């Protein structure tokens, strides 16, 4: 997979500087969502072929974007007010879009990955949204970053299907620089929540060797 390139690192700096105002989804949706914003979205396409972005609870219709595939991405948009009272899609101008690296979601408990990483829980990027678990993290990379694999393992707790374990395999990459990265997992294959929000428990090995635990709200994507 997968290292985060210099361009993406620069993009993250820009995105994080706008985060405090850009990600008040509920407040913006009730007051009227509009303006220039950096956000994490799911790129989707309707049955009629219309491309739209899922952004929190909001639906955005970007102009001039060609659908490649469903994916999670960071982007910058200029969002306009709803054009019609009964319209559910906010029109927007897309300034840039960067796909988020995709990890492997599996129920194979035998996958390797014992290298540490620190998840930036308070980052606006770390979220469980639209049945994607997106992780903003810190870990060690070589001077010339090598191939890292990330696995999200289900079925580790026979009593709770919503307990997941994140594993990281750096493939013996160097430890010359401690840098940030982003990885996402499509977890819609978890048992259907029936429209309810279930508590998702995530466990992982930190850089100091201890076990990290975080909780997210998960709802099946329809």
């Amino acid at each position: 997979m997968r290292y985060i390139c210099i361009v993406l690192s620069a993009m993250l700096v820009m995105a994080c500087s706008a985060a405090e105002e850009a990600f008040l989804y509920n407040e913006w949706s009730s007051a009227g969502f509009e303006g220039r914003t950096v956000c994490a979205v799911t790129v989707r396409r309707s049955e009629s072929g219309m491309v739209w972005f899922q952004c929190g609870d909001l639906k955005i219709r970007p102009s001039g974007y060609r659908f490649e595939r469903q994916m999670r991405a960071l982007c910058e948009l200029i969002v306009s007010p709803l054009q019609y009272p009964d319209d559910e899609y906010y029109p927007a101008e897309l300034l840039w879009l960067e796909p988020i690296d995709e990890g492997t979601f599996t129920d194979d408990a035998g996958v390797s990955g014992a290298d540490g990483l620190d998840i930036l829980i308070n980052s606006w990027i770390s979220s469980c949204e639209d049945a994607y678990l997106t992780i903003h993290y810190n870990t060690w990379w070589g001077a010339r970053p090598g191939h890292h694999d990330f696995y999200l393992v289900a079925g580790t707790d026979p009593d709770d299907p919503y307990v997941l374990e994140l594993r990281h395999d750096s493939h013996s990459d160097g430890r010359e620089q401690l840098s940030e990265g982003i990885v996402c997992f499509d977890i819609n294959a978890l048992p259907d929540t029936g429209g309810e929000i279930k508590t998702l428990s995530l466990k992982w090995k930190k850089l100091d060797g201890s076990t990290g635990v975080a909780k997210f709200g998960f709802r099946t994507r329809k």
Side-chain angles (χ1 to χ4, degrees), residues 29-44:
S29 62
S30 61
F33 180 78
E34 57 187 274
R36 185 166 179 158
T37 180
V38 176
C39 53
V41 300
T42 305
V43 178
R44 302 181 68 174

Side-chain angles (χ1 to χ4, degrees), residues 14-215:
M14 177 173 61
C16 291
S17 66
E20 188 171 344
E21 294 183 356
F23 288 85
L24 300 177
Y25 296 127
N26 294 332
E27 290 81 352
W28 279 36
S29 62
S30 61
F33 180 78
E34 57 187 274
R36 185 166 179 158
T37 180
V38 176
C39 53
V41 300
T42 305
V43 178
R44 302 181 68 174
R45 182 169 61 186
S46 68
E47 293 183 358
S48 65
M50 183 187 72
V51 178
W52 57 283
F53 293 170
Q54 184 77 44
C55 180
D57 293 329
L58 306 175
K59 296 180 178 180
I60 299 171
R61 188 177 64 250
S63 60
Y65 178 78
R66 289 189 174 186
F67 183 84
E68 299 177 12
R69 60 184 176 85
Q70 180 171 301
M71 61 183 173
R72 287 292 283 176
L74 295 178
C75 65
E76 185 173 13
L77 300 162
I78 299 177
V79 184
S80 301
L82 290 175
Q83 295 180 341
Y84 309 102
D86 58 347
D87 194 3
E88 61 178 332
Y89 296 94
Y90 288 87
E93 176 186 354
L94 177 64
L95 302 179
W96 54 259
L97 181 141
E98 181 72 25
I100 294 175
D101 199 12
E102 297 179 4
T104 301
F105 181 49
T106 180
D107 59 2
D108 180 4
V111 296
S112 62
D115 296 309
L117 75 164
D118 285 340
I119 295 179
L120 307 178
I121 293 298
N122 294 325
S123 167
W124 55 266
I125 299 174
S126 294
S127 62
C128 187
E129 184 177 277
D130 203 27
Y132 280 89
L133 182 63
T134 305
I135 300 298
H136 186 190
Y137 64 88
N138 261 338
T139 196
W140 288 104
W141 304 85
R144 295 182 178 180
H147 176 94
H148 289 222
D149 280 328
F150 298 87
Y151 300 97
L152 189 63
V153 184
T156 59
D157 185 338
D159 298 321
D160 188 349
Y162 303 109
V163 175
L164 305 176
E165 182 179 323
L166 178 62
R167 299 183 187 176
H168 169 215
D169 186 353
S170 69
H171 297 284
S172 301
D173 194 14
R175 294 173 60 89
E176 281 77 18
Q177 52 184 328
L178 186 62
S179 300
E180 298 177 20
I182 311 172
V183 64
C184 70
F185 303 87
D186 186 346
I187 58 174
N188 206 48
L190 285 173
D192 197 317
T193 64
E196 298 181 2
I197 296 178
K198 299 291 187 180
T199 298
L200 188 77
S201 298
L202 177 67
K203 299 180 180 180
W204 72 95
K205 181 181 178 181
K206 294 183 177 182
L207 289 175
D208 64 7
S210 63
T211 300
V213 179
K215 304 212 180 268

